[in-house]
Amino acid sequence: AQSVTQPDIHITVSEGASLELRCNYSYGATPYLFWYVQSPGQGLQLLLKYFSGDTLVQGIKGFEAEFKRSQSSFNLRKPSVHWSDAAEYFCAVGAGHDYKLSFGAGTTVTVRA
Amino acid sequence: DAGVIQSPRHEVTEMGQEVTLRCKPISGHDYLFWYRQTMMRGLELLIYFNNNVPIDDSGMPEDRFSAKMPNASFSTLKIQPSEPRDSAVYFCASSLDGYGYTFGSGTRLTVV
């Protein structure tokens, strides 16, 4: 079965600085990969997804992620964070033959002024 | 579109009582998912439906949990009897193509 590890539980970043969130997956074939964001008291919102093709994926809110098969990683990046980016971020992996997603434990991002 | 609508937003109930959570998916979405989120276990898939038919319920914790989708615009997740360890946030999500879920805002369930 597929699984996801998000090594960082909490990250603090200054407003305007760059952000990178790490995600490592475990799956034997080509995975379907996703990043979601969750604000307090809200559901999860899809930021971006990777199925195949170009390994650099652009998403909403200025986020991008890069799929690196050799490293089994799908790290999320943003060049310049805004205070509104403070939230919890989840990486998820799907196997492709069904529609079940396995989510990582999440990374909480705090943005300081 | 109003998105995925869940009700109630908060539910507090006593142990042993029946709890019913409700979900209205986005119109036209053929897939519906129920997830549970806890601090200890994170996000877990409980069950999902395609065209109102349950496809995979392997994540349903035990027989106390049941889910139905009587039509394309409504689903319920029922817990009977409820226990304190069922306390969690329950999310419903729908999808047009199976992936790229749209989540509802969740129901925070507290069983005392």
Side-chain angles (χ1 to χ4, degrees):
Chain A
Q2 66 271 28
S3 66
V4 169
T5 300
Q6 293 181 248
D8 304 305
I9 296 174
H10 188 212
I11 286 180
T12 298
V13 61
S14 297
E15 192 168 16
S18 64
L19 174 68
E20 181 167 12
L21 303 182
R22 296 183 291 164
C23 171
N24 294 101
Y25 69 88
S26 174
Y27 183 60
T30 299
Y32 290 8
L33 295 161
F34 306 80
W35 275 99
Y36 284 84
V37 61
Q38 184 180 29
S39 297
Q42 300 298 313
L44 284 74
Q45 181 183 22
L46 179 65
L47 287 175
L48 46 79
K49 58 187 177 185
Y50 171 79
F51 288 174
S52 63
D54 192 346
T55 57
L56 185 62
V57 181
Q58 301 298 320
I60 63 171
K61 304 186 180 192
F63 285 92
E64 67 178 25
E66 187 171 11
F67 171 58
K68 292 186 177 180
R69 184 187 302 275
S70 61
Q71 299 178 18
S72 298
S73 69
F74 188 57
N75 294 349
L76 182 72
R77 299 191 293 255
K78 185 169 184 177
S80 177
V81 299
H82 186 261
W83 64 266
S84 60
D85 294 321
E88 190 161 17
Y89 292 79
F90 293 91
C91 182
V93 62
H97 59 269
D98 60 29
Y99 300 106
K100 299 161 63 171
L101 291 185
S102 295
F103 285 84
T107 298
T108 300
V109 173
T110 298
V111 181
R112 59 182 174 219
Chain B
D1 199 317
V4 176
I5 299 173
Q6 292 187 246
S7 64
R9 287 298 308 272
H10 302 273
E11 176 81 41
V12 180
T13 191
E14 292 186 349
M15 182 174 62
Q17 296 298 306
E18 177 180 295
V19 175
T20 299
L21 311 182
R22 298 172 175 79
C23 175
K24 176 179 169 56
I26 292 173
S27 177
H29 281 195
D30 292 333
Y31 293 85
L32 185 139
F33 304 81
W34 283 100
Y35 276 82
R36 178 171 67 176
Q37 185 179 37
T38 61
M39 290 293 293
M40 292 298 295
R41 301 174 67 88
L43 278 155
E44 304 172 279
L45 176 65
L46 300 177
I47 185 171
Y48 81 94
F49 296 83
N50 179 212
N51 291 324
N52 313 335
V53 176
I55 302 300
D56 190 324
D57 65 355
S58 60
M60 297 286 263
E62 47 198 277
D63 292 345
R64 297 185 297 107
F65 286 70
S66 62
K68 294 182 180 180
M69 192 164 185
N71 57 62
S73 59
F74 185 65
S75 178
T76 59
L77 178 68
K78 185 176 294 186
I79 308 172
Q80 166 63 19
S82 57
E83 297 182 3
R85 59 194 169 114
D86 302 329
S87 298
V89 181
Y90 291 81
F91 287 104
C92 175
S94 70
S95 171
L96 183 63
D97 58 3
Y99 281 127
Y101 306 167
T102 299
F103 280 82
S105 297
T107 295
R108 181 174 296 276
L109 173 65
T110 303
V111 183
V112 298

